[in-house]
Amino acid sequence: MGIIELFLIAVGLSMDAFAVSVCRGLSMKKCTWRKASLVGAYFGVFQAGMPLIGYFLGVQFRDVITSVDHWIAFILLGIIGGNMVREAFASGDCCQEADEALDIRTMLGLAVATSIDALAVGVTFAFLKVNIVPAVCFIGVITFTLSVAGVKIGNIFGTKYQAKAELLGGIILILMGLKILLEHLGILKLAG
């Protein structure tokens, strides 16, 4: 997996965290860089940690599932991406009930909720034999950066970009899953 594909997956995964960060920023009366960085740190650490856990789970089954790993990657990324696209078109504003609290209980809950999909991507990484340490570090940094930006954007602009971020993230993950499948089937030339 090349740096461009990894970047696109990192951006796709971080869109949930970005959308929630926009809500966090929207709810803040005074948005400081410290608060934005705290939100970014929670989301970045969990977005990096979950694929690592998924990777180690996937490695346990890699030898058994090698013949269908491309289908698993395609299905997992398709489901995650499809859910993000569906959420982008769902009615209602998820920011309505957001409050300014950045306590550990609130932030841990949000960080886990936004990073569950990264666990499945980590399983996919195991099947694709991705070099996991640089990959999860890259995902964590991208998520941290976009989450900090999301808090600031939410504080300034509100929820204008929230649904667009979810839609973009979903489309990216679906396309990456399709690319993995088409490369494995020989329809697309393998990147490398």
Side-chain angles (χ1 to χ4, degrees):
M1 179 174 291
I3 190 75
I4 292 172
E5 290 91 356
L6 185 57
F7 175 76
L8 290 173
I9 286 176
V11 169
L13 286 175
S14 66
M15 287 298 111
D16 276 346
F18 175 81
V20 174
S21 296
V22 168
C23 294
R24 301 276 53 170
L26 180 66
S27 68
M28 291 179 188
K29 292 177 180 76
K30 182 177 181 189
C31 180
T32 64
W33 283 106
R34 182 181 176 278
K35 288 179 181 179
S37 295
L38 180 63
V39 171
Y42 271 104
F43 292 137
V45 166
F46 274 83
Q47 285 288 2
M50 288 296 204
L52 188 61
I53 293 167
Y55 178 84
F56 288 118
L57 291 173
V59 165
Q60 302 300 316
F61 303 104
R62 181 171 55 203
D63 294 335
V64 177
I65 306 177
T66 303
S67 64
V68 293
D69 59 357
H70 54 286
W71 285 103
I72 293 170
F74 171 69
I75 291 168
L76 287 175
L77 290 173
I79 289 170
I80 294 165
N83 283 335
M84 290 176 73
V85 169
R86 183 182 46 78
E87 288 172 10
F89 290 109
S91 61
D93 180 9
C94 78
C95 290
Q96 287 176 343
E97 297 181 24
D99 59 23
E100 192 171 352
L102 295 179
D103 61 277
I104 193 166
R105 183 176 176 194
T106 300
M107 291 308 300
L108 278 177
L110 291 172
V112 169
T114 59
S115 64
I116 292 296
D117 52 354
L119 183 75
V121 171
V123 172
T124 301
F125 283 173
F127 298 142
L128 299 175
K129 299 179 182 168
V130 170
N131 191 351
I132 194 63
V133 173
V136 297
C137 290
F138 193 65
I139 290 169
V141 168
I142 295 293
T143 302
F144 172 83
T145 304
L146 290 175
S147 296
V148 169
V151 171
K152 289 296 196 176
I153 289 168
N155 192 253
I156 295 168
F157 298 110
T159 60
K160 181 178 180 181
Y161 300 107
Q162 179 186 350
K164 291 177 179 134
E166 288 280 335
L167 179 62
L168 176 64
I171 290 170
I172 288 171
L173 292 178
I174 291 169
L175 291 175
M176 290 307 300
L178 185 60
K179 179 185 177 290
I180 290 166
L181 178 65
L182 294 177
E183 282 179 349
H184 189 80
L185 295 176
I187 296 170
L188 286 178
K189 183 180 176 187
L190 290 173

